[in-house]
């Protein structure tokens, strides 16, 4: 897991990482709505994240083919870049879910009330 | 002397043997020209050295170190036939990534200096090709494999690329292939012809005629 490698990956794969962060936030939302003691959100996370990574792989295959020589000329293989992006993505997912766990009550009650009534 | 060495390259595609026991080597300070008809396996050979194609057999060594994929060593760079730098990258970003050692010398080229902030999407095909060729010529790797670096370039730019290769060969080795055979002959220290899956040493234009690469106009 390397910051330098992440910086290089983001030169091209920024949209893919953003897409995966969006998925992580969606999973976080499931945890907020469904709670942390029911298996539904965990199952959703286990299904959605691999789908997100498979989507990245397909997008790379069709739209980022040109980038393969760009990275190979840096001495990097696509496998290494993908593994690094997935690792960061897992870290981001854990952070999002932890944040949702800590702020669940706020997100479920205080925030909607504030948004509707403009007061706590 | 540091040397890139590949031997016993055999690559079979379907029922056709593209390369059959091909050998090529390149030392730092040397420009090796690679000629051959269309489909003779020039690009395939460069891709095999770089590691983007897996052949049926090969023996690749860099400074006596056995390699499986050339690019993983970070000492071999490859200019493919198509553009390889993504459109959203600026010239200065690309130079920062690939050319740390000889950056100052590269920036002395007026066209490069004047377009540092421009993204690759804003260049014409020829300009983009010219910049990519220069970036790989000035890259930090010890060996550069250039696949048709002169294609799409106007004669003045071809001359510029040849001059830059000539300057940089004191620091690195080049293997170049192109159909502009006169430019290859001009810039190379030695020339290898790929023909019928094998490699032949070329000493002069007559050898190219002998092996059927050039038409025999005297006949």
């Amino acid at each position: 897991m390397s910051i330098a490698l992440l910086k290089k990956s983001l030169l091209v794969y920024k949209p893919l990482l953003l897409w995966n962060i969006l998925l992580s936030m969606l999973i976080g939302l499931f945890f907020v709505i469904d709670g942390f003691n029911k298996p539904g959100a965990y199952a959703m996370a286990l299904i959605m994240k691999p789908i997100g990574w498979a989507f990245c792989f397909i997008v790379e295959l069709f739209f980022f083919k040109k980038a393969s020589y760009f990275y190979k000329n840096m001495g990097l293989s696509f496998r290494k870049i993908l593994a690094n992006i997935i690792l960061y993505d897992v870290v981001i997912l854990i952070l999002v879910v932890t944040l949702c766990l800590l702020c669940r009550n706020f997100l479920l009650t205080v925030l909607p009330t504030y948004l509707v009534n403009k007061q706590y | 002397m540091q040397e890139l060495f590949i031997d016993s390259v055999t690559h079979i595609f379907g029922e056709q043997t593209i390369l059959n026991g091909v050998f090529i080597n390149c030392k730092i300070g040397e420009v090796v020209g690679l000629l051959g008809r269309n489909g003779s396996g020039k690009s395939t050979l460069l891709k095999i050295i770089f590691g983007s194609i897996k052949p049926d057999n090969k023996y690749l060594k860099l400074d006596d170190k056995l390699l499986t994929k050339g690019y993983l060593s970070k000492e071999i760079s490859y200019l493919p036939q198509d553009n390889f730098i993504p459109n959203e990258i600026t010239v200065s970003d690309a130079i920062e990534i690939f050319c740390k050692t000889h950056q100052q010398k590269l920036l002395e080229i007026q066209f490069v200096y004047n377009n540092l902030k421009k993204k690759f999407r804003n260049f014409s095909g020829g300009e983009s090709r010219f910049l990519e060729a220069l970036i790989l010529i000035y890259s930090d790797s010890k060996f550069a494999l250039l696949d048709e670096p002169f294609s799409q370039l106007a004669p003045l730019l071809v001359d510029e690329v040849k001059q830059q290769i000539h300057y940089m060969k004191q620091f690195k080795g080049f293997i170049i292939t192109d159909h502009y055979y006169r430019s290859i002959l001009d810039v190379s220290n030695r020339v290898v012809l790929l023909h019928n899956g094998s490699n032949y040493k070329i000493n002069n234009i007559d050898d190219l005629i002998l092996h059927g690469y050039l038409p025999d106009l005297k006949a």
Side-chain angles (χ1 to χ4, degrees):
Chain A
M1 208 170 167
S2 140
I3 298 279
L5 185 53
L6 180 72
K7 273 186 190 167
K8 284 177 185 172
S9 308
L10 286 183
L11 286 170
V12 175
Y13 297 111
K14 205 187 298 173
L16 296 188
L17 192 70
L18 290 176
W19 158 259
N20 276 320
I21 290 173
L22 199 71
L23 269 187
S24 297
M25 289 169 79
L26 198 64
I27 289 167
L29 188 70
F30 280 121
F31 275 107
V32 169
I33 295 167
D34 209 27
F36 285 83
N37 52 357
K38 291 179 191 165
Y42 293 96
M44 189 60 80
L46 281 175
I47 293 168
M48 278 178 78
K49 288 315 285 184
I51 289 175
W53 298 326
F55 172 81
C56 291
F57 185 75
I58 291 165
V59 167
E60 205 281 335
L61 215 60
F62 286 98
F63 299 103
F64 291 95
K65 205 69 197 157
K66 191 174 155 181
S68 76
Y69 280 116
F70 178 67
Y71 281 109
K72 280 177 181 169
N73 272 317
M74 289 187 222
L76 299 169
S77 64
F78 175 63
R79 203 180 293 175
K80 196 172 175 183
I81 292 165
L82 194 68
N84 200 55
I85 284 186
I86 287 176
L87 268 175
Y88 273 100
D89 192 41
V90 168
V91 171
I92 290 166
L93 174 69
I94 292 168
L95 283 175
V96 167
V97 172
T98 310
L99 207 68
C100 289
L101 175 67
L102 294 173
C103 309
R104 186 166 180 245
N105 288 338
F106 173 77
L107 292 169
L108 269 181
T109 53
V110 182
L111 189 63
T113 314
Y114 174 73
L115 288 175
V116 173
N117 304 329
K118 296 281 180 201
Q119 60 182 28
Y120 290 109
Chain B
M1 178 68 78
Q2 293 169 320
E3 184 181 18
L4 175 67
F5 175 96
I6 188 160
D7 194 8
S8 311
V9 184
T10 300
H11 186 61
I12 300 164
F13 189 75
E15 287 182 0
Q16 198 185 354
T17 304
I18 309 285
L19 301 166
N20 189 9
V22 167
F23 159 84
I24 199 165
N25 69 328
C26 179
K27 291 176 181 167
I28 285 187
E30 198 177 33
V31 180
V32 179
L34 189 61
L35 293 175
R37 292 182 185 183
N38 293 109
S40 60
K42 306 180 298 294
S43 300
T44 307
L45 179 60
L46 295 189
K47 285 177 186 170
I48 287 169
I49 297 171
F50 189 59
S52 56
I53 287 184
K54 195 174 177 227
D56 293 274
N57 188 51
K58 77 158 190 291
Y59 177 72
L60 176 66
K61 262 185 9 175
L62 177 67
D63 301 340
D64 291 327
K65 216 162 56 180
L66 208 59
L67 300 177
T68 46
K69 289 181 175 178
Y71 71 86
L72 291 177
S73 69
K74 298 187 181 179
E75 298 294 1
I76 301 172
S77 52
Y78 171 65
L79 177 74
Q81 285 181 14
D82 301 316
N83 294 345
F84 77 97
I85 298 183
N87 289 335
E88 59 270 29
I89 305 284
T90 62
V91 175
S92 63
D93 283 343
I95 291 174
E96 204 57 52
I97 291 166
F98 293 110
C99 320
K100 292 186 178 74
T101 318
H102 305 286
Q103 202 176 93
Q104 284 312 313
K105 188 70 189 168
L106 177 57
L107 293 177
E108 284 175 18
I109 300 169
Q110 205 61 43
F111 183 76
V112 176
Y113 186 77
N114 291 343
N115 291 292
L116 281 174
K117 294 288 159 225
K118 231 168 146 180
K119 289 184 176 180
F120 273 82
R121 72 158 65 93
N122 298 320
F123 290 106
S124 71
E127 288 173 328
S128 193
R129 187 74 184 152
F130 178 58
L131 284 166
E132 288 185 347
L134 288 178
I135 285 169
L136 282 202
I137 289 166
Y138 278 89
S139 68
D140 300 324
S141 61
K142 284 182 194 164
F143 293 92
L145 314 170
L146 308 179
D147 198 350
E148 301 193 1
F150 306 125
S151 68
Q152 301 181 51
L153 299 190
L156 277 175
L157 296 186
V158 169
D159 266 1
E160 182 73 47
V161 169
K162 277 156 62 177
Q163 278 175 34
Q164 302 309 327
I165 291 171
H166 186 71
Y167 170 76
M168 278 303 287
K169 75 176 181 187
Q170 57 185 313
F171 304 109
K172 59 202 289 180
F174 292 93
I175 301 179
I176 307 180
T177 175
D178 209 294
H179 288 295
Y180 293 96
Y181 70 94
R182 288 200 178 275
S183 291
I184 292 288
L185 295 176
D186 285 348
V187 82
S188 305
N189 297 95
R190 60 190 171 87
V191 176
V192 172
L193 177 76
L194 278 182
H195 183 55
N196 289 337
S198 303
N199 53 301
Y200 300 86
K201 188 182 173 196
I202 298 298
N203 296 311
N204 48 47
I205 286 198
D206 287 343
D207 286 348
L208 290 175
I209 296 169
L210 180 73
H211 293 293
Y213 178 70
L214 291 178
D216 188 358
L217 297 175
K218 293 172 206 159

